[in-house]
PDB file of all heavy atoms in Angstrom:
ATOM      1  N   LEU A 154     129.153  49.138 116.686  1.00  0.00           N
ATOM      2  CA  LEU A 154     128.867  50.565 116.706  1.00  0.00           C
ATOM      3  C   LEU A 154     127.511  50.823 117.346  1.00  0.00           C
ATOM      4  O   LEU A 154     126.556  50.088 117.124  1.00  0.00           O
ATOM      5  CB  LEU A 154     128.862  51.140 115.293  1.00  0.00           C
ATOM      6  CG  LEU A 154     130.130  50.982 114.455  1.00  0.00           C
ATOM      7  CD1 LEU A 154     129.950  51.692 113.105  1.00  0.00           C
ATOM      8  CD2 LEU A 154     131.341  51.535 115.180  1.00  0.00           C
ATOM      9  N   ILE A 155     127.441  51.885 118.125  1.00  0.00           N
ATOM     10  CA  ILE A 155     126.170  52.382 118.623  1.00  0.00           C
ATOM     11  C   ILE A 155     126.135  53.890 118.399  1.00  0.00           C
ATOM     12  O   ILE A 155     127.183  54.538 118.299  1.00  0.00           O
ATOM     13  CB  ILE A 155     125.943  52.061 120.117  1.00  0.00           C
ATOM     14  CG1 ILE A 155     127.025  52.703 120.985  1.00  0.00           C
ATOM     15  CG2 ILE A 155     125.876  50.570 120.342  1.00  0.00           C
ATOM     16  CD1 ILE A 155     126.732  52.584 122.480  1.00  0.00           C
ATOM     17  N   CYS A 156     124.926  54.450 118.317  1.00  0.00           N
ATOM     18  CA  CYS A 156     124.768  55.867 118.027  1.00  0.00           C
ATOM     19  C   CYS A 156     123.883  56.492 119.107  1.00  0.00           C
ATOM     20  O   CYS A 156     122.852  55.910 119.482  1.00  0.00           O
ATOM     21  CB  CYS A 156     124.147  56.052 116.639  1.00  0.00           C
ATOM     22  SG  CYS A 156     124.025  57.773 116.105  1.00  0.00           S
ATOM     23  N   LYS A 157     124.270  57.664 119.593  1.00  0.00           N
ATOM     24  CA  LYS A 157     123.519  58.356 120.634  1.00  0.00           C
ATOM     25  C   LYS A 157     123.317  59.815 120.239  1.00  0.00           C
ATOM     26  O   LYS A 157     124.190  60.429 119.615  1.00  0.00           O
ATOM     27  CB  LYS A 157     124.260  58.300 121.973  1.00  0.00           C
ATOM     28  CG  LYS A 157     124.476  56.912 122.535  1.00  0.00           C
ATOM     29  CD  LYS A 157     124.884  56.962 124.006  1.00  0.00           C
ATOM     30  CE  LYS A 157     126.148  57.761 124.237  1.00  0.00           C
ATOM     31  NZ  LYS A 157     126.567  57.731 125.656  1.00  0.00           N
ATOM     32  N   ILE A 158     122.184  60.362 120.632  1.00  0.00           N
ATOM     33  CA  ILE A 158     121.931  61.800 120.528  1.00  0.00           C
ATOM     34  C   ILE A 158     121.986  62.360 121.937  1.00  0.00           C
ATOM     35  O   ILE A 158     121.246  61.905 122.822  1.00  0.00           O
ATOM     36  CB  ILE A 158     120.564  62.090 119.887  1.00  0.00           C
ATOM     37  CG1 ILE A 158     120.490  61.492 118.477  1.00  0.00           C
ATOM     38  CG2 ILE A 158     120.305  63.597 119.830  1.00  0.00           C
ATOM     39  CD1 ILE A 158     119.109  61.561 117.849  1.00  0.00           C
ATOM     40  N   VAL A 159     122.881  63.316 122.172  1.00  0.00           N
ATOM     41  CA  VAL A 159     123.090  63.827 123.523  1.00  0.00           C
ATOM     42  C   VAL A 159     122.895  65.337 123.545  1.00  0.00           C
ATOM     43  O   VAL A 159     123.018  66.019 122.522  1.00  0.00           O
ATOM     44  CB  VAL A 159     124.499  63.471 124.052  1.00  0.00           C
ATOM     45  CG1 VAL A 159     124.691  61.971 124.087  1.00  0.00           C
ATOM     46  CG2 VAL A 159     125.596  64.131 123.220  1.00  0.00           C
ATOM     47  N   THR A 160     122.584  65.859 124.712  1.00  0.00           N
ATOM     48  CA  THR A 160     122.489  67.297 124.904  1.00  0.00           C
ATOM     49  C   THR A 160     123.891  67.892 124.925  1.00  0.00           C
ATOM     50  O   THR A 160     124.763  67.425 125.663  1.00  0.00           O
ATOM     51  CB  THR A 160     121.778  67.617 126.224  1.00  0.00           C
ATOM     52  OG1 THR A 160     120.477  67.024 126.206  1.00  0.00           O
ATOM     53  CG2 THR A 160     121.651  69.116 126.426  1.00  0.00           C
ATOM     54  N   ARG A 161     124.107  68.865 124.082  1.00  0.00           N
ATOM     55  CA  ARG A 161     125.415  69.517 123.969  1.00  0.00           C
ATOM     56  C   ARG A 161     126.502  68.458 123.779  1.00  0.00           C
ATOM     57  O   ARG A 161     126.501  67.728 122.805  1.00  0.00           O
ATOM     58  CB  ARG A 161     125.659  70.426 125.171  1.00  0.00           C
ATOM     59  CG  ARG A 161     124.634  71.554 125.266  1.00  0.00           C
ATOM     60  CD  ARG A 161     124.966  72.599 126.278  1.00  0.00           C
ATOM     61  NE  ARG A 161     123.928  73.624 126.293  1.00  0.00           N
ATOM     62  CZ  ARG A 161     123.970  74.704 127.023  1.00  0.00           C
ATOM     63  NH1 ARG A 161     125.007  74.939 127.819  1.00  0.00           N
ATOM     64  NH2 ARG A 161     122.991  75.586 126.978  1.00  0.00           N
ATOM     65  N   LEU A 162     127.424  68.347 124.752  1.00  0.00           N
ATOM     66  CA  LEU A 162     128.499  67.351 124.643  1.00  0.00           C
ATOM     67  C   LEU A 162     128.479  66.401 125.830  1.00  0.00           C
ATOM     68  O   LEU A 162     129.526  65.882 126.236  1.00  0.00           O
ATOM     69  CB  LEU A 162     129.861  68.055 124.570  1.00  0.00           C
ATOM     70  CG  LEU A 162     130.096  68.950 123.357  1.00  0.00           C
ATOM     71  CD1 LEU A 162     131.357  69.795 123.556  1.00  0.00           C
ATOM     72  CD2 LEU A 162     130.219  68.135 122.079  1.00  0.00           C
ATOM     73  N   ASP A 163     127.307  66.187 126.375  1.00  0.00           N
ATOM     74  CA  ASP A 163     127.199  65.396 127.600  1.00  0.00           C
ATOM     75  C   ASP A 163     127.889  64.047 127.453  1.00  0.00           C
ATOM     76  O   ASP A 163     127.659  63.307 126.494  1.00  0.00           O
ATOM     77  CB  ASP A 163     125.725  65.173 127.960  1.00  0.00           C
ATOM     78  CG  ASP A 163     125.069  66.437 128.486  1.00  0.00           C
ATOM     79  OD1 ASP A 163     125.774  67.452 128.600  1.00  0.00           O
ATOM     80  OD2 ASP A 163     123.859  66.404 128.777  1.00  0.00           O
ATOM     81  N   GLY A 164     128.752  63.747 128.421  1.00  0.00           N
ATOM     82  CA  GLY A 164     129.451  62.478 128.447  1.00  0.00           C
ATOM     83  C   GLY A 164     130.782  62.473 127.724  1.00  0.00           C
ATOM     84  O   GLY A 164     131.533  61.491 127.806  1.00  0.00           O
ATOM     85  N   MET A 165     131.089  63.540 127.004  1.00  0.00           N
ATOM     86  CA  MET A 165     132.360  63.619 126.272  1.00  0.00           C
ATOM     87  C   MET A 165     133.427  64.269 127.142  1.00  0.00           C
ATOM     88  O   MET A 165     133.186  65.270 127.809  1.00  0.00           O
ATOM     89  CB  MET A 165     132.192  64.447 125.002  1.00  0.00           C
ATOM     90  CG  MET A 165     131.252  63.842 123.977  1.00  0.00           C
ATOM     91  SD  MET A 165     132.001  62.454 123.118  1.00  0.00           S
ATOM     92  CE  MET A 165     133.294  63.304 122.220  1.00  0.00           C
ATOM     93  N   SER A 166     134.631  63.701 127.127  1.00  0.00           N
ATOM     94  CA  SER A 166     135.746  64.304 127.846  1.00  0.00           C
ATOM     95  C   SER A 166     136.563  65.151 126.884  1.00  0.00           C
ATOM     96  O   SER A 166     136.523  64.949 125.656  1.00  0.00           O
ATOM     97  CB  SER A 166     136.637  63.212 128.447  1.00  0.00           C
ATOM     98  OG  SER A 166     137.341  62.533 127.411  1.00  0.00           O
ATOM     99  N   PRO A 167     137.341  66.116 127.405  1.00  0.00           N
ATOM    100  CA  PRO A 167     138.216  66.905 126.524  1.00  0.00           C
ATOM    101  C   PRO A 167     139.179  66.051 125.712  1.00  0.00           C
ATOM    102  O   PRO A 167     139.447  66.346 124.542  1.00  0.00           O
ATOM    103  CB  PRO A 167     138.969  67.813 127.506  1.00  0.00           C
ATOM    104  CG  PRO A 167     138.039  67.959 128.667  1.00  0.00           C
ATOM    105  CD  PRO A 167     137.349  66.628 128.785  1.00  0.00           C
TER     106      PRO A 167
END
Side-chain angles (χ1 to χ4, degrees):
L154 302 183
I155 61 172
C156 185
K157 298 195 302 183
I158 300 172
V159 300
T160 302
R161 298 190 180 184
L162 297 169
D163 287 358
M165 295 285 293
S166 70

